[in-house]
Amino acid sequence: MRYRISELAEKCSVNKETIRYYERVGLLSKPSRTNAGYRIYPEETVHRMQFIKRMQDLGFSLAEIDKLLGVVDKDNERCMDMYDFLNQKVDEVQKKISDFKRIERMLINLKECCPDEKSLYECPIIDILMNEEKNSKM
Amino acid sequence: MRYRISELAEKCSVNKETIRYYERVGLLSKPSRTNAGYRIYPEETVHRMQFIKRMQDLGFSLAEIDKLLGVVDKDNERCMDMYDFLNQKVDEVQKKISDFKRIERMLINLKECCPDEKSLYECPIIDILMNEEKNSKM
DNA sequence: CTTTACCCTGTACTATGGTACAGGGTTTAT
DNA sequence: ATAAACCCTGTACCATAGTACAGGGTAAAG
């Protein structure tokens, strides 16, 4: 399956302009073109876009994603010091997982304080939260 | 303990300008002032700043953090529809936790492909990755 | 064969989250 | 009593990650 830019955009739930933007900044390589100069993308680009979106959703910057894609592209330059980069990212990810678990508990606790399942007028738990912040080392 | 702006900034590892910026956008309430107009912060603001930083690190926007702080501030307006907001955030957080776990495995796998603990020249796992992307529903 | 729906490039604009002065007053250490 | 180190407001600027035209060419459906 080959895609025109708007088909790719649709399939990946992004804006066409975003695809052109990613090309400009180097996240997507220059695609082949029709005679008239229309961009044509292979199926692979769909997966690449989905990978980018997923990583971005998790808070990775486009620069970090680009670095990781250096592996996919077997690009020597971007693969330099990949080990250290990966180590750092693994640490960050592990910290985030544990922070997210704390936040999950906090949100669930807060939720249980909403009296009519609508708003929230008072919550004794929030003081505990702030105290937790106080006692945890950043 | 009461803090001047630069003491607070130091203690929270942020820029003074950031503190003033947070005040401007309403994340921090207007602090008390000395006769000369210098801002003076109570200990509480340190915890509030740490909470903001932690949430921001996890990818929450300042607007979302502000919404959550509505609970701390017992602010009726921001507490409106808090239940739905919390429900949505809990879902998002749970999705992120599971995504992060996948990414963690991916990063560790990639790391093991770095031959000399420096760079990374080839990794058969990356194809698996892209295939994983292919077969997973977003 | 023309209208509508695409596509192109290039440039400008947007939102978010800050950061950096400029110009001027205050506090503190010497 | 004066320099260094701090504070103030206001405005301008920055990076990131897009988004929105303008002006002009192409493709396909009626």
Side-chain angles (χ1 to χ4, degrees):
Chain A
M1 187 52 181
R2 329 209 84 216
Y3 302 89
R4 281 190 174 188
I5 194 167
S6 62
E7 293 165 338
L8 180 66
E10 167 105 5
K11 183 123 190 187
C12 300
S13 312
V14 298
N15 204 307
K16 281 181 295 183
E17 314 290 341
T18 302
I19 294 170
R20 286 196 272 252
Y21 172 69
Y22 284 178
E23 182 182 329
R24 251 193 298 136
V25 300
L27 269 177
L28 297 178
S29 54
K30 292 182 192 305
S32 52
R33 302 279 186 134
T34 66
N35 285 343
Y38 289 19
R39 289 171 179 80
I40 294 293
Y41 297 94
E43 190 71 31
E44 203 200 317
T45 309
V46 176
H47 312 315
R48 193 177 174 102
M49 281 298 296
Q50 286 168 349
F51 178 74
I52 293 170
K53 273 193 77 180
R54 189 185 293 276
M55 295 305 282
Q56 203 181 19
D57 238 55
L58 295 178
F60 288 80
S61 70
L62 295 186
E64 289 168 330
I65 297 167
D66 184 56
K67 172 88 182 169
L68 280 173
L69 286 171
V71 181
V72 179
D73 302 336
K74 303 196 194 317
D75 175 60
N76 260 36
E77 174 137 26
R78 278 176 291 162
C79 282
M80 280 268 288
D81 306 309
M82 185 58 84
Y83 187 80
D84 294 341
F85 177 75
L86 291 171
N87 252 336
Q88 196 198 318
K89 292 304 146 193
V90 168
D91 286 354
E92 285 173 22
V93 163
Q94 287 171 346
K95 181 172 182 306
K96 287 204 180 178
I97 290 172
S98 82
D99 272 8
F100 266 122
K101 284 182 178 165
R102 277 187 47 198
I103 297 306
E104 184 194 4
R105 283 196 302 279
M106 168 192 109
L107 293 173
I108 289 171
N109 283 338
L110 269 182
K111 221 174 67 174
E112 283 160 7
C113 293
C114 296
D116 54 358
E117 309 221 331
K118 272 185 92 336
S119 302
L120 186 153
Y121 301 111
E122 201 172 324
C123 185
I125 282 156
I126 202 72
D127 302 326
I128 294 160
L129 273 177
M130 282 288 145
N131 273 287
E132 200 180 329
E133 222 53 59
K134 186 155 69 198
N135 300 322
S136 76
K137 58 228 161 294
M138 304 294 284
Chain B
M1 187 53 183
R2 331 209 81 219
Y3 302 89
R4 282 191 172 183
I5 194 167
S6 61
E7 292 165 340
L8 179 66
E10 166 106 6
K11 183 125 188 185
C12 300
S13 311
V14 299
N15 203 307
K16 279 181 295 182
E17 313 289 341
T18 301
I19 294 170
R20 286 196 274 252
Y21 172 70
Y22 285 177
E23 182 182 329
R24 252 193 297 137
V25 300
L27 269 177
L28 297 178
S29 54
K30 291 181 193 305
S32 51
R33 302 278 187 135
T34 65
N35 285 343
Y38 289 20
R39 289 171 179 80
I40 294 293
Y41 297 95
E43 190 71 31
E44 203 199 316
T45 308
V46 176
H47 311 316
R48 193 178 175 101
M49 281 298 297
Q50 285 168 350
F51 178 75
I52 294 169
K53 274 193 75 179
R54 190 184 292 274
M55 295 304 282
Q56 203 181 20
D57 238 54
L58 294 178
F60 288 80
S61 69
L62 296 185
E64 289 169 329
I65 297 167
D66 183 56
K67 172 90 182 168
L68 280 173
L69 286 171
V71 180
V72 180
D73 302 337
K74 302 195 194 315
D75 175 59
N76 260 37
E77 173 136 28
R78 279 176 291 162
C79 282
M80 282 267 287
D81 306 309
M82 185 57 84
Y83 187 80
D84 293 340
F85 177 75
L86 291 171
N87 253 335
Q88 195 197 318
K89 291 305 146 194
V90 168
D91 286 355
E92 285 173 21
V93 163
Q94 285 170 347
K95 180 172 184 307
K96 286 203 184 183
I97 289 171
S98 82
D99 272 7
F100 265 122
K101 283 182 178 165
R102 277 188 46 199
I103 296 307
E104 184 195 3
R105 284 195 302 279
M106 168 193 108
L107 292 173
I108 289 171
N109 283 339
L110 269 184
K111 220 173 69 174
E112 282 161 6
C113 293
C114 296
D116 54 356
E117 310 220 330
K118 272 186 97 301
S119 303
L120 187 152
Y121 300 110
E122 202 172 325
C123 186
I125 281 155
I126 201 74
D127 303 324
I128 295 160
L129 272 178
M130 283 287 144
N131 273 288
E132 199 180 332
E133 221 54 58
K134 187 155 65 198
N135 301 321
S136 76
K137 60 228 160 289
M138 304 294 285

